[in-house]
Amino acid sequence: MDFNLSQDEREFIVSFRNFCKKEIHPFAEEADKKKEFPRSHYTKLGEAGYLGLLHEEEFGGQGAGVFLSTLAMEIVSEYCGSTFFSAGASAGLFGLPIKHFGTSDQKKKFLPDIISGKLIGSLGVTEPDGGSDVSALTSIARKKGDRYFISGQKTFITNAPNADYSLVLARAQDENGNEKGLTHFIVDLRSKGVSRSVAMDKMGLKASPTGALFFEDVEVSEENILGKLGKGFRQTMQTFNAERLSLAAYSLGVMKACLDESKSFASSRKSFGKSIYQHQGVAFMLAEIYAKYEAAKWFTYNVAWEMERIESEGKGSMLLSGKCAACKLFATTAAREVTNLAVQIHGGAGYMDEYKVSRLYRDTRLGEIGGGTSEIQKLIISGSIMKEN
Ligand SMILES: Cc1cc2nc3c(=O)[nH]c(=O)nc-3n(C[C@H](O)[C@H](O)[C@H](O)COP(=O)(O)OP(=O)(O)OC[C@H]3O[C@@H](n4cnc5c(N)ncnc54)[C@H](O)[C@@H]3O)c2cc1C
């Protein structure tokens, strides 16, 4: 399979890997322990060109395609899952809907600073009573004159504790209380009426802050509506397609790291007078890791390639909903199985935080939950294949 990367793209991949080794990897363990993601990391990722990969050059982006961005996400995830999630929530979950649906003023106002890493964004969809079932959300945006007043609560939001802005999905109502449909509002999180939780304690991805956002009659202008009133549900679903592909890319990075760590450990660790990889039981685990990684990799690359082609033809990524869901389901499941095997190969050491596979094992669990659980992916996949003739 030839994905026709240009010379510039190949060079970017080499320099970005070097950047991740130098700037991201050394920080990953410490950040995980301290549960901190310094702001300076966003600016570094901005300077390295990562945050702007999928954004247009006129706003400071690289104008790259989905395929190159998939490769870059895989690389960053090999070194630090928290970096992948926090950077992705800002430039991807917040930035890409603005790129795709925002007005030209919104793009000019928000994208340059998100791409440079000066501002941090987030996406506020999930609520305490509406996660998988997005249509059940209850946050309300009531219209008064040319203003909207948002009330409600969001939970499990990546970057909520330190973001500057959030793209908040709420039920818009006109002045008479009539429902106008789910709508995204770009909300300045320093606005009056906004409060937030501290970072939640969680199983993994400890450096990437996750929290709740509370809105009490938060005033926003009509200019803060993303694109058009009432289009929020479709915008969210399109955003989730890209997120699902990116979670498959994340899973590839995790599996590549597991493969490298496990090969190295299985060579140096000895039992019964030989390296443990010379025991067939361990050799089989290495083989399984490799096979799962390769299968997920080619599936993900294939969907990324198709998404790039579809976008270049000006068609919406909704055409690929089933494939994005299938690729996320497959890669995130494989990554969970692979981290489990990698910990097993490491024996007791694998249970120790000192070894990278322990962090990978904890971190990767989110892949099967965030961006829609595996069960929701199965519903999307079956719905999509049953529509095909
Ligand atoms: C670390 C972290 C970061 C996150 N970041 C963000 C973010 O930045 N922005 C954001 O908006 N959200 C974010 N989320 C929320 C995430 O998207 C949701 O947790 C996820 O979509 C699942 O929703 P839920 O937690 O409400 O689970 P529920 O919907 O309550 O699901 C519980 C269980 O029921 C199953 N289930 C539900 N409905 C069905 C069905 N119809 N058929 C079969 N099974 C079903 C689910 O698969 C799951 O197993 C984050 C979550 C975490 C943990």
Side-chain angles (χ1 to χ4, degrees):
M1 226 184 279
D2 177 11
F3 291 105
N4 286 328
L5 283 187
S6 68
Q7 185 61 24
D8 281 355
E9 289 172 329
R10 285 175 206 278
E11 283 170 13
F12 171 78
I13 288 299
V14 172
S15 78
F16 185 63
R17 181 175 286 286
N18 288 335
F19 163 83
C20 288
K21 276 187 195 158
K22 196 166 150 243
E23 300 287 346
I24 304 295
H25 201 204
F27 138 93
E29 292 301 332
E30 196 193 330
D32 192 61
K33 279 197 196 96
K34 286 192 183 160
K35 302 182 184 172
E36 266 177 23
F37 194 89
R39 262 188 184 251
S40 57
H41 265 76
Y42 287 96
T43 43
K44 281 185 190 169
L45 288 161
E47 280 161 24
Y50 178 70
L51 297 179
L53 269 175
L54 287 175
H55 289 282
E56 289 151 310
E57 289 173 65
E58 74 175 288
F59 304 110
Q62 314 298 311
V66 174
F67 190 73
L68 184 69
S69 140
T70 301
L71 296 181
M73 288 189 284
E74 178 183 347
I75 293 171
V76 94
S77 308
E78 223 180 293
Y79 298 102
C80 178
S82 289
T83 301
F84 165 81
F85 277 94
S86 273
S90 187
L93 295 179
F94 178 79
L96 289 179
I98 295 182
K99 171 191 168 183
H100 291 301
F101 315 110
T103 62
S104 116
D105 283 349
Q106 288 169 346
K107 291 181 194 182
K108 274 189 221 143
K109 184 168 173 193
F110 297 106
L111 292 183
D113 286 346
I114 285 290
I115 291 168
S116 69
K118 195 172 154 202
L119 285 181
I120 303 174
S122 61
L123 176 72
V125 172
T126 305
E127 298 189 355
D129 294 322
S132 302
D133 186 1
V134 173
S135 63
L137 66 83
T138 58
S139 288
I140 285 195
R142 295 184 181 88
K143 190 163 192 243
K144 284 183 206 154
D146 63 350
R147 322 295 289 172
Y148 280 86
F149 292 81
I150 301 177
S151 295
Q153 181 182 341
K154 299 290 172 182
T155 194
F156 304 155
I157 307 303
T158 301
N159 294 347
N162 64 349
D164 302 290
Y165 286 91
S166 192
L167 199 52
V168 175
L169 191 62
R171 286 178 188 288
Q173 282 186 353
D174 68 13
E175 281 158 322
N176 302 318
N178 298 318
E179 180 79 37
K180 291 291 166 192
L182 291 178
T183 303
H184 270 121
F185 293 86
I186 305 172
V187 180
D188 183 339
L189 295 178
R190 291 157 302 185
S191 308
K192 191 167 163 252
V194 176
S195 54
R196 34 182 139 194
S197 71
V198 293
M200 293 165 169
D201 286 328
K202 56 192 194 300
M203 179 192 288
L205 299 163
K206 289 176 186 278
S208 168
T210 311
L213 292 170
F214 307 92
F215 305 95
E216 219 180 302
D217 269 335
V218 177
E219 182 177 342
V220 292
S221 82
E222 275 179 327
E223 281 142 35
N224 291 51
I225 290 177
L226 179 74
K228 292 193 182 126
L229 188 73
K231 298 288 178 200
F233 187 77
R234 196 171 169 82
Q235 290 169 351
T236 305
M237 292 306 128
Q238 192 162 326
T239 302
F240 280 173
N241 275 342
E243 188 187 5
R244 285 166 191 154
L245 178 59
S246 79
L247 284 165
Y250 160 71
S251 304
L252 298 185
V254 169
M255 288 189 270
K256 173 72 168 54
C258 283
L259 182 62
D260 291 347
E261 294 293 313
S262 300
K263 275 167 63 183
S264 159
F265 187 87
S267 298
S268 60
R269 178 73 180 164
K270 296 202 166 37
S271 78
F272 300 93
K274 51 187 174 180
S275 295
I276 57 167
Y277 79 88
Q278 289 167 317
H279 300 300
Q280 197 178 54
V282 175
F284 280 7
M285 288 195 272
L286 286 168
E288 265 193 76
I289 291 179
Y290 175 77
K292 286 177 198 291
Y293 168 55
E294 285 291 315
K297 182 165 83 176
W298 294 108
F299 189 2
T300 305
Y301 287 0
N302 192 273
V303 177
W305 185 246
E306 269 199 70
M307 181 151 345
E308 178 159 332
R309 187 176 51 77
I310 278 183
E311 286 193 356
S312 70
E313 289 168 3
K315 297 179 192 158
S317 68
M318 291 305 274
L319 286 172
L320 281 184
S321 297
K323 284 197 181 175
C324 289
C327 148
K328 179 199 185 254
L329 173 70
F330 187 82
T332 57
T333 307
R336 190 226 325 131
E337 292 165 351
V338 160
T339 55
N340 194 34
L341 289 164
V343 168
Q344 196 63 21
I345 289 174
H346 281 68
Y351 201 73
M352 298 297 139
D353 283 347
E354 188 189 334
Y355 286 80
K356 187 172 168 181
V357 291
S358 159
R359 171 165 57 87
L360 294 167
Y361 178 88
R362 288 184 282 110
D363 286 356
T364 206
R365 196 63 185 79
L366 180 64
E368 293 173 288
I369 297 168
T373 62
S374 293
E375 292 70 38
I376 296 301
Q377 304 317 302
K378 288 177 191 170
L379 291 178
I380 297 169
I381 298 162
S382 55
S384 161
I385 56 178
M386 292 313 288
K387 262 193 241 152
E388 288 170 5
N389 44 22

